[in-house]
Amino acid sequence: MWREFIFQRFLSRRGRVSAYFQSRGRLIAVGAAMGNVGLSHFWDAPYRPLFLAAALWALVSIAWWPLGVSLGLPKPGFTPLVLWHVHELIFGFFSVAIAGYVLTALPHWVCRPPEHGRILKVLVAFWVLSRLSMAMADRVPPLLLLSINSLFFVLLAALILYRTLSGRAFSKALFGVVVVMLGLADIIFLKVAKAGDVSGSLEIAHACLIGMALLVTVVGARLVPAFTESWRQHSGRSAGHAPASQLRAAAISAQILSLMAILMGWSDLAHAALVLSASLLCLVMARWQSLSTLANPLVAGLHFAFFWLPVGLALKGGLWLLSASYPLADAIHALTIGAISGLIMAISGRAACHGSGPQLQAIPSLSLAMALIWIATCLRLMAPLAAGYGTEVETAAATFWCAAWLSFLFGFRLALKEPTRRPVLSGKKPTPRDPERKRTA
């Protein structure tokens, strides 16, 4: 009896979600016929305001510092400026991008309609308030600064945990735990920074970076091959290799070990685990046949962004262990720019790539943006090697970064105007392969 009850409850939820999307679809169709589909639907789905906020802040934060300040703009009110830069990219840009991804995937996990309307407005308002408080942090009382920066994480974590636990998606509740940990890290970072301990703040940031790389690995190592296989099936190409689930699990476990070792103060073990994880991820990627995706820029962008993940982990771990002359502070940009930002761009940009067919199609501005991010990564890593021209190369890298996000925003306008599509980040499921075609492929 209990099995029948659970099954009937599941069906009723699916029915409510289906009815919701059907009713939304009818309303959108009527609005489109009246020429009224546009920004009036901006708050209907989480990916619009949250991915837009992430892209805007990626652009504004770097355009302000270092580019704008070098041209005479007032400095952000948080000293030293490198800590403002680190804080805003981790707890500003990355956090709102993760919020956009999780809340976009949440309806599929719990079989409920997406968050919309007032709750999204409050969430974005808290995030904007945090950015404003950090811009003048030196004039804000420390307790008030900590409180303001906690609001976004508290609401986001509560929302994720409530939806996942009430929807019995217990494994997905871990994303809520991650948000809680990110919020706690933000508080600790600010307390240490306000106490004047710059090196301590940077150590916290490095621990956060490993955690970010872990989260990107967990999400990206599943999404990239899944999206790739979907494209291959839609386009009639032969299937790729079976997912390397054991290698992927081992790479994730090595990163978990690294994060735990960092927190325990075992730096050598932590960085050795990063090198191990990088090696395992290279083996995982070897099964993806990445070069075959060049025919589809939308899929290739995922592969080329993920490429920086093992590179960045290897550089961070290897340079620590070998005490090489290349600065570790520069090497981590392979992770921050290439892997993390690149994958955020490649995944969130898919929301603007819906066409008339079942398969997503890359728009030129997104393809250009992903290429520019790659160039920005290479330039930033070359800066320490450009004797006498390091500052100029860093400025060029920042310029390419800003150009990349400008190009992304130009293309993302389509996601703001078009009706909400489901699923948001992928096309329609491909039909099962024809056995006869599979034999001849």
Side-chain angles (χ1 to χ4, degrees):
M1 293 293 293
W2 61 271
R3 291 182 179 177
E4 294 179 1
F5 171 76
I6 292 175
F7 182 67
Q8 290 297 328
R9 185 176 179 183
F10 172 77
L11 288 180
S12 66
R13 286 185 177 178
R14 293 299 292 263
R16 289 199 301 270
V17 175
S18 177
Y20 172 85
F21 285 126
Q22 287 176 6
S23 63
R24 297 294 298 175
R26 286 193 292 268
L27 289 174
I28 288 171
V30 172
M34 297 172 63
N36 196 34
V37 173
L39 294 180
S40 60
H41 296 276
F42 181 76
W43 299 101
D44 284 355
Y47 69 90
R48 288 192 179 112
L50 296 176
F51 285 158
L52 178 62
L56 284 172
W57 197 237
L59 170 63
V60 171
S61 61
I62 301 300
W64 189 1
W65 189 85
L67 292 181
V69 172
S70 66
L71 297 175
L73 288 180
K75 298 178 182 179
F78 191 93
T79 52
L81 288 178
V82 66
L83 292 187
W84 178 85
H85 170 74
V86 168
H87 181 276
E88 290 308 284
L89 289 181
I90 294 176
F91 303 109
F93 165 63
F94 179 76
S95 66
V96 77
I98 288 299
Y101 170 75
V102 174
L103 295 185
T104 297
L106 200 57
H108 174 70
W109 295 341
V110 301
C111 299
R112 293 184 64 89
E115 306 301 330
H116 63 282
R118 183 177 301 173
I119 188 66
L120 287 182
K121 294 178 182 179
V122 174
L123 189 65
V124 172
F126 284 166
W127 180 84
V128 171
L129 190 61
S130 299
R131 308 287 66 77
L132 293 175
S133 70
M134 287 302 301
M136 50 184 179
D138 289 343
R139 297 193 293 269
V140 178
L143 184 59
L144 180 59
L145 184 67
L146 295 178
S147 301
I148 291 175
N149 279 268
S150 300
L151 293 174
F152 173 79
F153 294 105
V154 169
L155 179 57
L156 178 60
L159 186 58
I160 295 172
L161 289 172
Y162 173 73
R163 292 300 187 199
T164 52
L165 295 178
S166 62
R168 297 184 176 275
F170 298 117
S171 63
K172 304 302 182 182
L174 289 175
F175 283 99
V177 176
V178 168
V179 173
V180 171
M181 295 174 65
L182 197 59
L184 291 174
D186 189 9
I187 293 175
I188 298 172
F189 179 95
L190 289 175
K191 288 188 68 174
V192 173
K194 290 300 246 180
D197 187 356
V198 177
S199 61
S201 300
L202 292 178
E203 288 179 5
I204 295 170
H206 279 272
C208 289
L209 180 59
I210 296 176
M212 291 160 60
L214 172 60
L215 186 58
V216 168
T217 303
V218 170
V219 173
R222 288 181 177 273
L223 283 188
V224 175
F227 288 156
T228 304
E229 183 59 20
S230 175
W231 164 66
R232 287 190 175 122
Q233 292 187 24
H234 274 302
S235 58
R237 287 172 167 80
S238 58
H241 295 296
S245 55
Q246 293 181 339
L247 288 174
R248 180 180 64 208
I252 292 172
S253 300
Q255 290 184 42
I256 294 174
L257 173 61
S258 176
L259 183 58
M260 294 175 62
I262 282 286
L263 297 177
M264 297 294 293
W266 302 335
S267 296
D268 289 344
L269 175 60
H271 290 85
L274 290 182
V275 174
L276 174 60
S277 180
S279 303
L280 293 170
L281 286 176
C282 287
L283 295 178
V284 170
M285 286 198 70
R287 301 176 62 86
W288 289 354
Q289 301 173 323
S290 297
L291 292 179
S292 67
T293 66
L294 290 173
N296 186 329
L298 194 60
V299 179
L302 292 167
H303 286 253
F304 279 81
F306 196 93
F307 161 82
W308 288 111
L309 189 56
V311 171
L313 293 175
L315 285 174
K316 181 167 173 51
L319 289 173
W320 173 275
L321 296 172
L322 299 177
S323 300
S325 58
Y326 190 90
L328 183 60
D330 293 282
I332 63 174
H333 289 90
L335 284 174
T336 56
I337 302 177
I340 297 173
S341 302
L343 279 170
I344 287 173
M345 176 181 286
I347 292 173
S348 60
R350 297 174 68 88
C353 295
H354 289 273
S356 57
Q359 185 181 345
L360 301 186
Q361 298 291 335
I363 54 178
S365 57
L366 177 59
S367 301
L368 175 61
M370 292 188 291
L372 291 173
I373 276 287
W374 234 81
I375 296 173
T377 307
C378 294
L379 286 173
R380 188 60 186 82
L381 294 175
M382 288 170 55
L385 306 176
Y389 297 94
T391 302
E392 289 79 2
V393 176
E394 288 183 10
T395 301
T399 302
F400 272 94
W401 164 280
C402 291
W405 287 105
L406 276 174
S407 183
F408 174 90
L409 286 166
F410 180 78
F412 196 72
R413 77 193 192 283
L414 299 176
L416 307 180
K417 295 181 178 180
E418 291 182 346
T420 304
R421 304 292 187 93
R422 293 288 169 183
V424 175
L425 302 177
S426 62
K428 296 179 181 178
K429 289 185 178 181
T431 56
R433 287 180 177 271
D434 182 0
E436 194 65 31
R437 186 178 72 182
K438 187 174 182 179
R439 282 197 296 268
T440 59

